[in-house]
Amino acid sequence: MQISYNLKSNSERRQTAFEPKDNVGFGELRTDHMFLMDFRDGQWINPRIVPYAPFEVAPGAIALHYGQSVFEGAKAFRHKDGEIYTFRLDKNAERLNRSADILCMQGVPEAMQRAGIEALIDIDRLWFPMQDDACLYIRPFIFATEDRLSVSPSEQYTFCVILSPSGPYYKAGFNQAIRLLISERFHRAVSGGTGASKASGNYAASLKAGKVAAEYGAAQVLYLDATNQQIEEVGAMNHFHILKDGTVIIPTFTDTILKSITSESILELGRLLGCEVRQETVMLEKFIQDIESGEIIEAGGFGTAAVVAPVGSYIFEDRRVLTVGDGSVGEHTKRIYKVLTDIQKGYIQGPKDWLVKVARKENSACAA
Ligand code: PLP
Ligand code: COI
């Protein structure tokens, strides 16, 4: 793939390492450039890196009306050698195409996705924020651009990648356990629907639930299945709980749960974590009983943005509160967080190919 470059002038773009005065939050900042590519007449054309700026979209574009839009969330980390490494980008590329397929959209060949993302990171590598627990958050997305009001799959798409120098997703970071609202009213997904995809519409549909969760003093909703019997996942992360013998349990992936790359990583790391990690159907009633009896001692969420988010308590719609252990961040959760983030930062060796160094290309000479 031959990428064309239309870069900002040296005076307009970052020239020195990014040392934020205040710690950066999640997803607020952008880098200087973005990657774009269009799907026309059956092929992806015009891969390009251009300054980050608004672009033109037809008012009748199908994405705006019928929601044909999918996205990914991945991360890159700066290691001690000064180089930037993407984390499991191959899995994100594969999942973006799975999401696209669920929404009848055109996928992007995985190698093209990776090449575009790596070229963009290379150009904007100075934007990596020099602070603890920082990353370059990678947001690739595909949206339908055909200007047509009949409801059928678009024949034109844009693939775009933007980068956000980011810190933790939850403002309190890892050290403060969050509260989740267990809702019988809101549902994220039904079998046969789009729950296993990162369809933009899934997130639009979670906003009202998120607002209600905030009214309960909760960070997010823990969604149940449509019959309110099983625990599924949280709006932006998978759910997990830990038994008193240290076993980590993640609800089995179904077509109503997003197959989290973080969860998959924790499942693969099982042995390195020194505990059993397994998936099973999690029944709400048993889950409550096991917290009350002390059989479940810790809980939380796994996700790229959230990393490992400890959950200290749940609140129900009748305002009953269920506290996990003593409500603070437990030792097992701390260990899982540390092993995962140490691998991501290159402090310890993880499985082969999880981290891929972003090559320095000739035309990135101006990026130090
Ligand atoms: N579940 C949902 C609904 C999500 O939005 C996310 C975030 O991407 C996850 C789970 C976690 O997935 P991953 O670990 O691949 O980021
Ligand atoms: C991610 O974890 O990367 C996500 O995409 C979640 C997002 C909704 C913040």
Side-chain angles (χ1 to χ4, degrees), residues 73 95 188 198 203 233-238 258-263 302-304:
R95 191 173 63 187
R188 181 186 165 274
K198 278 183 82 73
Y203 297 81
E233 66 170 328
V234 189
M237 55 191 189
N238 278 175
L258 188 78
K259 195 171 180 190
S260 155
I261 295 159
T262 315
S263 294
F302 290 139
T304 297

Side-chain angles (χ1 to χ4, degrees), residues 148-166:
R148 176 164 50 73
L149 296 185
S150 56
V151 182
S152 61
S154 177
E155 292 190 357
Q156 297 178 358
Y157 296 89
T158 292
F159 172 63
C160 180
V161 184
I162 61 174
L163 302 176
S164 178
S166 286

Side-chain angles (χ1 to χ4, degrees), residues 65-319:
H65 300 265
Y66 307 129
Q68 259 196 316
S69 170
V70 292
F71 72 97
E72 265 308 319
K75 280 181 174 175
F77 299 89
R78 190 173 185 277
H79 288 189
K80 275 200 290 254
D81 62 2
E83 299 298 324
I84 295 183
Y85 293 77
T86 56
F87 181 75
R88 308 205 76 179
L89 203 50
D90 51 337
K91 298 286 258 182
N92 291 96
E94 187 190 324
R95 191 173 63 187
L96 185 67
N97 286 345
R98 254 193 339 263
S99 295
D101 182 53
I102 290 173
L103 268 81
C104 248
M105 295 171 65
Q106 183 61 47
V108 180
E110 290 172 31
M112 280 189 174
Q113 292 187 44
R114 291 203 307 271
I117 292 168
E118 282 166 20
L120 179 64
I121 294 176
D122 182 32
I123 286 296
D124 280 349
R125 60 173 65 238
L126 286 177
W127 274 99
F128 191 94
M130 305 299 229
Q131 74 177 49
D132 279 350
D133 290 327
C135 68
L136 265 184
Y137 182 75
I138 306 162
R139 173 52 62 86
F141 54 108
I142 312 172
F143 60 101
T145 53
E146 192 180 339
D147 187 345
R148 176 164 50 73
L149 296 185
S150 56
V151 182
S152 61
S154 177
E155 292 190 357
Q156 297 178 358
Y157 296 89
T158 292
F159 172 63
C160 180
V161 184
I162 61 174
L163 302 176
S164 178
S166 286
Y169 186 67
Y170 293 108
K171 283 203 168 61
F174 174 77
N175 295 320
Q176 201 175 322
I178 57 170
R179 169 170 287 181
L180 296 178
L181 171 67
I182 298 188
S183 171
E184 297 199 344
R185 227 171 97 203
F186 295 105
H187 294 95
R188 181 186 165 274
V190 287
S191 187
T194 60
S197 75
K198 278 183 82 73
S200 306
N202 289 349
Y203 297 81
S206 76
L207 296 177
K208 180 74 93 178
K211 193 166 167 218
V212 171
E215 287 162 14
Y216 278 83
Q220 288 219 12
V221 167
L222 172 58
Y223 290 99
L224 305 176
D225 74 318
T227 67
N228 289 330
Q229 288 176 10
Q230 292 173 23
I231 286 183
E232 296 212 314
E233 66 170 328
V234 189
M237 55 191 189
N238 278 175
H239 185 261
F240 70 87
H241 63 265
I242 303 180
L243 305 181
K244 65 175 183 234
D245 68 0
T247 304
V248 180
I249 295 174
I250 302 168
T252 307
F253 296 137
T254 60
D255 70 346
T256 53
I257 296 180
L258 188 78
K259 195 171 180 190
S260 155
I261 295 159
T262 315
S263 294
E264 287 190 288
S265 303
I266 302 297
L267 282 157
E268 281 177 50
L269 282 178
R271 232 177 317 133
L272 205 68
L273 291 166
C275 58
E276 187 189 348
V277 187
R278 64 166 192 261
Q279 292 193 283
E280 60 185 45
T281 301
V282 180
M283 304 306 292
L284 177 64
E285 221 175 278
K286 171 106 175 32
F287 177 72
I288 295 171
Q289 275 167 16
D290 286 352
I291 289 181
E292 285 172 343
S293 72
E295 177 62 23
I296 291 176
I297 54 167
E298 296 177 35
F302 290 139
T304 297
V307 192
V308 178
V311 173
S313 62
Y314 300 85
I315 186 163
F316 295 87
E317 277 152 341
D318 62 6
R319 301 211 170 262

